[in-house]
Amino acid sequence: MNYQRFFEEAIDQLHAERRYRVFADLERIAGKFPRAIWRSNGRAEEITVWCSNDYLGMGQHPDVIAAFQKAAGKMGSGAGGTRNISGTSNPLVALELELADLHDKEAALVFTSGFVSNEASISTIAKLLPNCLVLSDELNHASMIEGVRRSGAEKKIFRHNDVAHLESLLQAAGRERAKLIVFESVYSMDGDIAPIKQIVDLAERYNAMTYIDEVHAVGMYGPRGGGITEREGLADRIDIIEGTLAKAFGTLGGYITGTSAVIDAVRSYAPGFIFTTALPPAIAAAATTSIRHLKRSQAERDAQSRQATRTKQVLAAAGLPVMESATHIVPVLVGDPELCKMASDRLLGVHGIYIQPINYPTVPRGTERLRITPTPFHSDALIAALQDALVETWDALGIPYGSAGRPSVTKSDRIIPLLVPKSGG
Ligand SMILES: *Cc1c(COP(=O)(O)O)cnc(C)c1O
């Protein structure tokens, strides 16, 4: 038996499908975000990162770094144990209070990542409900799909953001059966937003529980960074709000918030919460500092929103196939895995611009794309450089432009019209 052969074949398969993943070796430079040092073939080069989920640059905020350093200096590097066995540090307790307050819920529970929070919470909640039917949006994140799968509960998938389809499934299940609707607020690959109010209306009408993933929205939307549910005044009508500390909050960890009973049950029954070491106190302290800052400060959200809008306008005006997006995420369609990888390689190697290609299975085949995430630190000059680099790359590789085609003028110094219709998608 040649065991190694099976692993080699599995990898060959990915190469053949042009979706073998290559990681960029990066060193982020605190104080110079989004600049980073990229190491490749023995060389080190300073580049611009255009695909980070550190959406507001909070990972380099001086107060956040100071809180991290101070807590590490006082309490050491690790948590020293699981939550149950010596790992519940005071900064972690404070973080959970902060998160419950952020979403105006009775309680919160922190996990070691957003992935773990979804997998552990959805599986535990659906398992504790008798004969639960899980209704899951078809574009839900892998972590939610894993949670549903592990629950062992029956599941029905509703078409993406399709409330009529969801209603027909709720109706068929009837009011008496336990039902859990799991969905996201911001879908991160397309940048669209769920019809949360309509979903909540349906949940109330058909007596279902609701679980929303606000991972891409916390810190970003709502007057205190409480997400789309805060912005739309719907947080109190959602049963469980889940989020991450690793994207806009710039640190690490995931969490759920909800009633004391739900949180206590997950705390008490979820293996993914119980049998793993707690988040280190330094990370908890840094996360709390970041959340508190974004509760008070609009400056980061305003600047981010401005730069995202400008990026969309500038790229669309150059005829690039910017996909329709209701949020801060700027997807640019390539539509082919090989070209998408080549475009990414060229942007990095020739232009010093890093945008990871997004291929199947993260997005459907034929919709391979570059997913661009502008932050407050992506200046107008960086946006102009991005436009020039993308146009050069599109031309060099013969990637199709949007339906409107490429306008005759493509230099970044020309006047940008205020409202440019988005093309392609
Ligand atoms: C990134 C992501 C997660 C996982 O969060 P991590 O903290 O990175 O583990 C969960 N849900 C969605 C929708 C995500 O995009």
Side-chain angles (χ1 to χ4, degrees):
M1 187 83 161
N2 178 357
Y3 285 101
Q4 299 311 309
R5 189 168 63 86
F6 295 99
F7 302 102
E8 286 158 11
E9 278 170 10
I11 293 301
D12 288 346
Q13 171 85 25
L14 295 178
H15 281 295
E17 292 178 21
R18 303 286 177 248
R19 55 189 188 91
Y20 179 75
R21 291 179 162 136
V22 181
F23 300 155
D25 175 348
L26 299 174
E27 185 179 322
R28 305 210 294 159
I29 309 169
K32 269 179 91 174
F33 183 76
R35 301 289 281 169
I37 295 161
W38 171 54
R39 286 192 174 76
S40 168
N41 298 323
R43 285 190 346 183
E45 201 185 311
E46 209 179 296
I47 52 111
T48 304
V49 179
W50 271 101
C51 58
S52 175
N53 283 336
D54 190 354
Y55 293 132
L56 300 175
M58 291 304 288
Q60 66 156 22
H61 194 288
D63 295 351
V64 176
I65 296 173
F68 187 97
Q69 289 172 330
K70 190 171 156 221
K74 271 171 66 183
M75 288 169 261
S77 57
T82 63
R83 288 295 298 266
N84 190 42
I85 307 177
S86 89
T88 299
S89 64
N90 182 257
L92 197 40
V93 174
L95 173 60
E96 287 178 338
L97 290 173
E98 196 67 42
L99 288 164
D101 174 76
L102 176 66
H103 296 291
D104 214 0
K105 296 286 185 197
E106 288 173 14
L109 195 66
V110 167
F111 300 77
T112 44
S113 79
F115 189 102
V116 172
S117 70
N118 272 334
E119 199 213 58
S121 305
I122 294 171
S123 61
T124 302
I125 291 165
K127 209 179 268 178
L128 289 174
L129 293 169
N131 188 30
C132 180
L133 174 68
V134 182
L135 301 149
S136 177
D137 186 287
E138 69 176 328
L139 291 192
N140 275 345
H141 189 259
S143 56
M144 305 167 81
I145 295 168
E146 275 305 297
V148 176
R149 202 180 57 76
R150 287 197 44 150
S151 75
E154 188 189 347
K155 89 173 160 198
K156 293 247 193 296
I157 305 212
F158 59 94
R159 285 188 294 273
H160 180 52
N161 285 348
D162 187 335
V163 282
H165 190 206
L166 173 60
E167 176 157 27
S168 72
L169 296 174
L170 285 165
Q171 212 158 25
R175 261 191 74 84
E176 293 316 309
R177 183 168 182 189
K179 297 169 293 299
L180 179 68
I181 305 172
V182 295
F183 63 115
E184 300 180 23
S185 61
V186 172
Y187 287 85
S188 78
M189 291 301 149
D190 292 328
D192 57 332
I193 298 175
I196 304 173
K197 180 173 181 306
Q198 289 163 278
I199 291 175
V200 167
D201 286 345
L202 284 180
E204 286 169 1
R205 185 169 329 139
Y206 292 94
N207 193 25
M209 278 189 88
T210 45
Y211 181 108
I212 193 167
D213 174 317
E214 284 250 57
V215 158
H216 293 278
V218 290
M220 302 289 292
Y221 298 94
R224 300 194 312 155
I228 304 285
T229 50
E230 186 196 24
R231 185 182 80 179
E232 299 183 358
L234 295 167
D236 63 331
R237 295 176 64 197
I238 299 265
D239 291 297
I240 298 113
I241 298 176
E242 183 269 350
T244 186
L245 306 169
K247 288 168 185 170
F249 293 128
T251 59
L252 182 73
Y255 65 88
I256 57 168
T257 64
T259 62
S260 304
V262 169
I263 298 304
D264 204 11
V266 174
R267 184 186 74 89
S268 308
Y269 282 96
F273 174 81
I274 298 169
F275 298 104
T276 191
T277 298
L279 213 61
I283 292 182
T288 301
T289 302
S290 182
I291 295 162
R292 279 190 190 149
H293 178 87
L294 290 176
K295 272 181 181 169
R296 292 187 309 260
S297 171
Q298 285 299 330
E300 291 81 7
R301 284 188 281 277
D302 288 348
Q304 199 278 342
S305 164
R306 181 191 180 278
Q307 297 317 95
T309 302
R310 186 174 172 89
T311 305
K312 288 181 195 174
Q313 288 179 345
V314 167
L315 301 191
L320 290 157
V322 179
M323 298 166 75
E324 196 72 50
S325 160
T327 59
H328 58 282
I329 290 152
V330 185
V332 180
L333 183 71
V334 178
D336 176 88
E338 181 90 51
L339 277 179
C340 200
K341 173 84 175 75
M342 284 168 69
S344 173
D345 288 348
R346 187 176 183 88
L347 285 166
L348 188 53
V350 177
H351 300 281
I353 284 178
Y354 171 48
I355 311 172
Q356 187 69 13
I358 307 285
N359 285 352
Y360 177 83
T362 308
V363 295
R365 292 185 207 270
T367 71
E368 292 83 3
R369 67 196 66 176
L370 298 177
R371 175 182 177 273
I372 297 170
T373 49
T375 72
F377 297 91
H378 288 86
S379 65
D380 292 0
L382 286 178
I383 295 171
L386 172 69
Q387 182 214 302
D388 289 344
L390 285 171
V391 166
E392 192 281 334
T393 300
W394 250 241
D395 287 344
L397 301 178
I399 303 171
Y401 279 81
S403 49
R406 177 185 158 186
S408 49
V409 192
T410 54
K411 276 282 152 253
S412 53
D413 56 359
R414 88 201 132 77
I415 297 145
I416 304 303
L418 251 175
L419 276 171
V420 180
K422 282 171 215 86
S423 52

